[in-house]
Each structure stands twice: as structure tokens, then as C-alpha cells.
Amino acid sequence: DQQVKQNSPSLSVQEGRISILNCDYTNSMFDYFLWYKKYPAEGPTFLISISSIKDKNEDGRFTVFLNKSAKHLSLHIVPSQPGDSAVYFCAASAREIQGAQKLVFGQGTRLTINP
Amino acid sequence: EAQVTQNPRYLITVTGKKLTVTCSQNMNHEYMSWYRQDPGLGLRQIYYSMNVEVTDKGDVPEGYKVSRKEKRNFPLILESPSPNQTSLYFCASSTRGTQYFGPGTRLTVL
């Protein structure tokens, strides 16, 4: 049972435009969400996170939106740059119950930024 | 430089031949974890450790063992590898929920 789902295996966006990556979850106990970025032959690197007490968190070109009622979060990248081409993983944890360290990951979305 | 290191980076082995993948971190993190990444499944947690001598099963622990005898090291042991353990493995460490990942070990079991 996939508790965190990224339904789009791939996404192609023009350089300079907005990239929107989506993630859905089923476990209502999740209270902390993260996005990781992964380049080939490297480990995932932390990008941005959001607590369930917020509905938006912004860091430079990256913004994460959380819709708790829909159990949905999204990552917006504006403007998209060629270096953003990577696989993006959504992850969630139920910090109050299991601690911050127990992460559940989605399947990943491969983002390609075209010049 | 703060980092998580894994060795080896690539390994091809045969069914049943015991192997160990090492993981070391220099950030003095209490928490360490092992994941495997498979196509269409994302990263799945194998084992984790909250501190020295404290380990627990993740979501897919079958066929794996771990130990945490010192804070910086968290080796992953496959006592009798099988082809279904062919995968990309990542070690991670953290203190406050944000996990920092190693570069990965690509394991092929023939």
C-alpha cells in the first residue's frame, strides 16, 4: 500500500516556465513533508520541507504548498532552470507518532527542463 | 566537509555470498538509516538506528541485518544475497528530521 504517491513519472518543462510537481498521501497522521532532489549517481539531497501547521513554505525559486483536506502537496519551481533537471521525491513523516526520522517516500518524478 | 560515505559504490556478487556495505557519517548524527531504491517504488526503508546499539526494522527488512556499534558507522549486511536484492542502496543520517544521504551503492546479485 503506497502511502505517498507521485502519479507523474515524468514531467517536461520549458526553461524559464513554472514546474509543478505533485504528491498525494493517504495517511492522515503525516504531519511533516519534504522534497528531495536526486541527480544520477548521487544520493538524494534535501530541497524544502513543510509542517502540517502551514500551507505554504518558500525558499528562493522553490515553494511547497500543502492542502491537508485534499491530502495533497505540490512543489513549484519558478523560473525553471536546466540545472533543475533531476528526479524529485516527495516524502512524509508522522513526527508525533513515529518521530521525524521515519520517512515514507513517493515513487519520484523525473523533471526535464528543455532549453 | 560534512558527508555520508558508502563503500563500495558498485558491487556484483553471486547468490549466497555474504557481503557488507559500509556507511559512515562525520556529522555526529544520532539517527542513521538504510534505504533501497527500485524503479516505480521510490525509496523504501530497510532498517534504522536511533543511536548506538539501538536498531529497528523499517518497511522491507527481510534478508538484511545491521549493527550500530559506534555512532559514525552503520553497516548493512546481506548474509545470503538473492537476486531480488539487486537494487540501489542509500545510507542516510540525521538529527532533526532532515536526512542526509550517501552517494549510493549499486548492488547486482547474479
Side-chain angles (χ1 to χ4, degrees):
Chain A
D1 178 33
Q2 194 82 20
Q3 296 186 68
V4 178
K5 295 182 183 180
Q6 295 175 254
N7 292 316
S8 298
S10 62
L11 177 66
S12 187
V13 174
Q14 191 111 23
E15 182 178 359
R17 307 292 289 268
I18 183 171
S19 295
I20 300 176
L21 295 95
N22 294 303
C23 179
D24 297 296
Y25 62 96
T26 58
N27 188 341
S28 57
M29 294 296 137
F30 287 148
D31 55 10
Y32 190 63
F33 305 88
L34 309 91
W35 284 94
Y36 280 83
K37 176 180 180 178
K38 184 183 178 306
Y39 291 120
E42 294 182 13
T45 55
F46 171 72
L47 195 55
I48 192 169
S49 63
I50 188 168
S51 166
S52 60
I53 62 172
K54 295 185 175 183
D55 54 18
K56 176 182 174 181
N57 188 28
E58 192 172 350
D59 183 2
R61 296 187 297 114
F62 302 93
T63 302
V64 56
F65 294 92
L66 175 62
N67 183 333
K68 287 190 295 294
S69 61
K71 294 192 177 66
H72 177 84
L73 65 155
S74 61
L75 174 69
H76 293 210
I77 306 173
V78 182
S80 300
Q81 300 174 353
D84 297 330
S85 294
V87 176
Y88 289 79
F89 289 99
C90 169
S93 70
R95 285 194 297 186
E96 290 297 319
I97 298 173
Q98 296 178 306
Q101 323 296 355
K102 175 71 175 163
L103 287 183
V104 180
F105 282 83
Q107 307 97 311
T109 296
R110 181 177 301 279
L111 175 65
T112 303
I113 306 302
N114 302 308
Chain B
E1 179 191 355
Q3 60 181 354
V4 178
T5 56
Q6 296 178 226
N7 282 293
R9 294 290 311 277
Y10 302 91
L11 179 60
I12 300 175
T13 188
V14 296
T15 298
K17 186 176 181 181
K18 181 180 178 180
L19 67 92
T20 299
V21 184
T22 65
C23 173
S24 182
Q25 51 97 0
N26 63 2
M27 296 169 279
N28 202 36
H29 287 167
E30 290 86 17
Y31 181 86
M32 298 185 74
S33 184
W34 275 102
Y35 294 85
R36 59 179 289 174
Q37 182 190 351
D38 301 290
L41 297 175
L43 285 86
R44 294 178 293 167
Q45 192 178 53
I46 302 170
Y47 267 94
Y48 64 95
S49 168
M50 299 297 285
N51 214 322
V52 175
E53 302 293 0
V54 181
T55 63
D56 207 348
K57 296 177 180 178
D59 298 317
V60 288
E62 296 77 20
Y64 304 95
K65 285 175 59 177
V66 292
S67 68
R68 188 90 182 275
K69 292 185 169 53
E70 39 185 352
K71 200 170 189 179
R72 63 182 292 126
N73 296 323
F74 190 44
L76 179 69
I77 303 155
L78 285 73
E79 295 271 3
S80 183
S82 62
N84 65 12
Q85 292 177 299
T86 292
S87 187
L88 180 58
Y89 291 87
F90 292 101
C91 179
S93 73
S94 69
T95 55
R96 295 184 183 179
T98 301
Q99 297 195 17
Y100 297 88
F101 286 81
T105 295
R106 185 166 292 282
L107 173 65
T108 302
V109 183
L110 302 174

